[in-house]
Amino acid sequence: PRVIIADEPTSGLDAEVKIEILHLIKEKVTGNRTLFLITHDLGTASFLCTRLVVMYAGEIVETGPTKEVLSRPFHPYTKGLLASLPSAGLNTIPGTSPSPSSLPAGCRFSERCIAAMERCRKEHPPMKEVGDNRQVRCFLYD
Ligand code: SF4
């Protein structure tokens, strides 16, 4: 196939089988074949993907080359995800994701964001270019 879509392909697998599956996928994504990986596992994304798209509450909040996003995240949600990894101390993001039927009026992350400003609760931030091949949806970069 020209495109492979893998939705949480290693979820629930033990470490050994997971590594086998990841290598198998990597082996199959050659030439002009494209992989769309849907995952909560940043390690898996880092291993398989050249470009990362971070989503929160149904919308894209940050995109860019995988290595750059993971080493220098811009969006507070991306920063929170990285801080919640075991290697970073398992710091949780306070609160829970909003229900799709009652999304906040402004930024969808505003109720959980430690950097939220007054404006964030009223206006919905657009995606903004923030350098080489990177975009973020956050008023901190206006
Ligand atoms: S727009 Fe405001 S609330 Fe939303 S992520 Fe940026 S700082 Fe936080």
Side-chain angles (χ1 to χ4, degrees):
R2 171 78 181 78
V3 174
I4 297 174
I5 300 173
D7 188 350
E8 300 285 8
T10 58
S11 180
L13 300 178
D14 65 54
E16 204 172 306
V17 180
K18 176 179 169 177
I19 290 167
E20 269 179 50
I21 297 291
L22 292 182
H23 282 280
L24 180 66
I25 293 173
K26 196 160 198 165
E27 217 173 83
K28 299 292 177 193
V29 183
T30 54
N32 63 354
R33 187 172 284 160
T34 299
L35 169 71
F36 281 100
L37 175 72
I38 300 154
T39 186
H40 284 83
D41 184 338
L42 294 175
T44 297
S46 173
F47 182 70
L48 290 175
C49 302
T50 52
R51 188 161 184 83
L52 195 65
V53 175
V54 181
M55 296 190 70
Y56 181 78
E59 68 180 6
I60 295 170
V61 294
E62 180 161 6
T63 70
T66 303
K67 283 187 175 45
E68 284 181 36
V69 173
L70 295 181
S71 63
R72 199 163 58 98
F74 289 142
H75 197 277
Y77 177 60
T78 314
K79 291 179 183 177
L81 282 181
L82 290 167
S84 72
L85 292 173
S87 57
L90 291 171
N91 303 293
T92 55
I93 300 173
T96 55
S97 301
S99 160
S101 60
S102 59
L103 293 169
C107 171
R108 292 184 182 180
F109 190 56
S110 59
E111 289 168 0
R112 307 176 72 189
C113 181
I114 54 170
M117 305 164 277
E118 191 57 33
R119 178 184 185 192
C120 305
R121 300 183 207 290
K122 295 178 187 152
E123 296 171 48
H124 186 234
M127 288 297 282
K128 191 176 165 65
E129 298 284 340
V130 281
D132 262 2
N133 221 354
R134 293 194 62 177
Q135 291 185 310
V136 65
R137 186 187 297 283
C138 177
F139 289 132
L140 292 175
Y141 301 92
D142 258 8

XYZ file of all heavy atoms in Angstrom, residues 82-122:
292
model
N 5.506 15.575 27.861
C 6.903 15.155 28.038
C 7.268 15.075 29.522
O 7.995 14.173 29.939
C 7.844 16.107 27.294
C 7.755 15.976 25.773
C 8.448 17.133 25.083
C 8.371 14.662 25.318
N 6.713 15.979 30.317
C 7.006 15.959 31.759
C 6.338 14.771 32.446
O 6.711 14.399 33.558
C 6.548 17.267 32.403
N 5.347 14.172 31.794
C 4.637 13.050 32.414
C 5.303 11.702 32.124
O 4.873 10.675 32.633
C 3.178 13.021 31.929
O 3.128 12.603 30.571
N 6.348 11.717 31.311
C 7.044 10.455 31.015
C 7.769 9.951 32.268
O 8.228 10.764 33.079
C 8.071 10.674 29.894
C 7.504 10.983 28.503
C 8.633 11.330 27.544
C 6.693 9.802 27.984
N 7.894 8.635 32.424
C 8.611 8.093 33.590
C 10.006 8.681 33.734
O 10.439 9.020 34.840
C 8.672 6.582 33.298
C 7.512 6.329 32.398
C 7.341 7.575 31.573
N 10.705 8.873 32.602
C 12.072 9.395 32.658
C 12.112 10.850 33.122
O 13.164 11.350 33.542
C 12.720 9.281 31.277
O 11.932 9.976 30.327
N 10.961 11.545 33.042
C 10.921 12.964 33.444
C 10.253 13.137 34.811
O 10.037 14.253 35.257
C 10.193 13.782 32.393
N 9.881 12.019 35.450
C 9.351 12.129 36.808
C 7.855 11.907 36.954
O 7.303 12.141 38.020
N 7.182 11.473 35.897
C 5.743 11.152 35.960
C 4.901 12.317 36.488
O 4.001 12.134 37.294
C 5.507 9.916 36.845
C 6.007 8.575 36.314
C 5.894 7.505 37.385
C 5.218 8.148 35.080
N 5.224 13.526 36.076
C 4.438 14.695 36.510
C 3.132 14.742 35.724
O 3.164 14.805 34.500
C 5.227 15.977 36.245
C 6.567 15.940 36.939
O 6.637 15.956 38.153
N 7.639 15.844 36.155
N 2.016 14.731 36.433
C 0.737 14.712 35.716
C 0.291 16.125 35.351
O 0.650 17.098 36.010
C -0.371 14.058 36.579
O -0.423 14.744 37.823
C -0.093 12.586 36.801
N -0.525 16.218 34.294
C -1.145 17.494 33.920
C -2.422 17.587 34.756
O -3.227 16.658 34.734
C -1.492 17.505 32.411
C -0.224 17.316 31.575
C -2.199 18.802 32.037
C -0.492 17.132 30.078
N -2.604 18.665 35.498
C -3.813 18.734 36.345
C -5.086 18.761 35.502
O -5.083 19.222 34.357
C -3.639 20.056 37.111
C -2.655 20.842 36.316
C -1.778 19.876 35.599
N -6.191 18.272 36.090
C -7.487 18.320 35.418
C -7.659 17.211 34.397
O -6.850 16.298 34.296
N -8.754 17.311 33.631
C -9.055 16.301 32.603
C -9.418 16.998 31.289
O -9.762 18.190 31.279
C -10.261 15.416 33.020
O -11.356 16.285 33.310
C -9.937 14.573 34.238
N -9.388 16.236 30.205
C -9.741 16.803 28.897
C -11.214 17.209 28.891
O -12.038 16.530 29.488
C -9.540 15.755 27.791
O -8.210 15.342 27.783
N -11.538 18.309 28.204
C -12.947 18.735 28.165
C -13.797 17.778 27.333
O -13.291 17.114 26.433
C -12.873 20.119 27.501
C -11.616 20.095 26.697
C -10.671 19.193 27.420
N -15.072 17.719 27.650
C -15.992 16.897 26.869
C -16.182 17.547 25.488
O -16.298 18.773 25.397
C -17.346 16.833 27.589
O -18.340 16.462 26.675
N -16.243 16.751 24.412
C -16.459 17.334 23.072
C -17.768 18.125 22.995
O -17.910 19.010 22.169
C -16.505 16.115 22.149
C -15.851 15.017 22.918
C -16.075 15.295 24.373
N -18.710 17.831 23.887
C -19.997 18.546 23.834
C -19.968 19.846 24.636
O -20.918 20.628 24.575
C -21.130 17.645 24.346
O -20.847 17.276 25.670
N -18.899 20.085 25.407
C -18.822 21.372 26.123
C -17.375 21.864 26.159
O -16.760 21.935 27.215
C -19.395 21.233 27.535
O -18.676 20.249 28.246
N -16.879 22.182 24.983
C -15.502 22.673 24.867
C -15.414 24.102 25.407
O -16.363 24.881 25.261
C -15.059 22.640 23.402
C -14.917 21.249 22.781
C -14.747 21.340 21.274
C -13.762 20.479 23.407
N -14.290 24.483 26.024
C -14.129 25.861 26.517
C -14.257 26.868 25.371
O -13.935 26.553 24.220
C -12.698 25.869 27.074
C -12.320 24.452 27.261
C -13.108 23.649 26.278
N -14.680 28.072 25.691
C -14.897 29.093 24.660
C -13.592 29.520 23.997
O -13.537 29.753 22.795
C -15.577 30.297 25.284
N -12.522 29.618 24.748
C -11.249 30.072 24.189
C -10.355 28.910 23.822
O -10.770 28.007 23.093
N -9.142 28.926 24.336
C -8.212 27.826 24.095
C -8.751 26.562 24.774
O -9.149 26.597 25.940
C -6.846 28.209 24.671
S -5.671 26.828 24.661
N -8.741 25.458 24.063
C -9.295 24.219 24.615
C -8.473 23.662 25.776
O -8.946 22.828 26.528
C -9.417 23.169 23.501
C -10.463 23.562 22.489
C -10.659 22.496 21.443
N -11.648 22.958 20.482
C -12.047 22.251 19.432
N -11.536 21.057 19.209
N -12.952 22.737 18.612
N -7.233 24.152 25.892
C -6.365 23.674 26.972
C -6.374 24.638 28.168
O -5.730 24.394 29.175
C -4.937 23.508 26.426
C -3.987 22.798 27.350
C -4.264 21.529 27.834
C -2.797 23.397 27.740
C -3.387 20.866 28.701
C -1.908 22.745 28.600
C -2.203 21.478 29.077
N -7.123 25.732 28.065
C -7.013 26.821 29.050
C -7.317 26.387 30.482
O -6.724 26.909 31.427
C -7.902 27.993 28.650
O -9.240 27.575 28.558
N -8.224 25.435 30.669
C -8.589 25.040 32.038
C -7.475 24.244 32.732
O -7.514 24.049 33.933
C -9.887 24.220 32.021
C -11.086 25.087 31.688
C -12.341 24.286 31.364
O -12.286 23.039 31.398
O -13.362 24.920 31.079
N -6.505 23.775 31.936
C -5.433 22.951 32.520
C -4.060 23.587 32.372
O -3.068 23.028 32.834
C -5.422 21.581 31.835
C -6.752 20.899 31.851
C -6.722 19.590 31.092
N -5.980 18.567 31.794
C -5.655 17.386 31.257
N -5.985 17.099 30.017
N -5.010 16.504 31.975
N -4.001 24.734 31.734
C -2.714 25.323 31.363
C -2.178 26.221 32.475
O -2.856 27.163 32.895
C -2.884 26.135 30.073
S -1.350 26.880 29.516
N -0.952 25.963 32.902
C -0.374 26.787 33.974
C 0.036 28.166 33.458
O 0.280 29.072 34.238
C 0.844 26.092 34.652
C 1.881 25.684 33.604
C 0.421 24.910 35.487
C 3.191 25.233 34.196
N 0.087 28.330 32.130
C 0.484 29.623 31.565
C -0.729 30.420 31.061
O -0.556 31.463 30.429
C 1.455 29.399 30.412
N -1.940 29.949 31.362
C -3.148 30.595 30.808
C -3.261 32.059 31.223
O -2.973 32.420 32.361
C -4.386 29.824 31.239
N -3.683 32.886 30.262
C -3.898 34.315 30.511
C -5.384 34.589 30.328
O -6.125 33.730 29.844
C -3.088 35.148 29.496
C -1.610 34.817 29.475
S -0.780 35.470 27.990
C -1.128 34.203 26.797
N -5.799 35.793 30.675
C -7.208 36.182 30.550
C -7.720 35.924 29.123
O -8.786 35.357 28.913
C -7.333 37.673 30.921
C -8.764 38.152 31.084
C -9.544 37.359 32.118
O -8.953 36.905 33.107
O -10.758 37.157 31.889
N -6.907 36.333 28.163
C -7.261 36.206 26.744
C -7.539 34.744 26.336
O -8.398 34.467 25.498
C -6.083 36.744 25.936
C -6.207 36.657 24.488
C -4.916 37.139 23.844
N -5.089 37.158 22.407
C -4.100 37.305 21.555
N -2.874 37.467 21.991
N -4.327 37.299 20.266
N -6.803 33.833 26.962
C -6.911 32.409 26.602
C -8.310 31.856 26.870
O -8.731 30.887 26.249
C -5.892 31.587 27.381
S -4.195 32.145 27.189
N -9.025 32.440 27.831
C -10.348 31.930 28.190
C -11.441 32.488 27.285
O -12.565 32.048 27.308
C -10.653 32.256 29.651
C -9.642 31.643 30.594
C -9.958 31.891 32.059
N -8.742 31.885 32.869
C -7.997 30.810 33.143
N -8.376 29.643 32.703
N -6.902 30.905 33.873
N -11.082 33.499 26.453
C -12.093 34.145 25.609
C -11.890 33.884 24.127
O -12.839 33.775 23.370
C -12.060 35.661 25.835
C -12.449 36.071 27.235
C -12.339 37.586 27.375
C -12.572 38.002 28.825
N -11.893 39.233 29.160
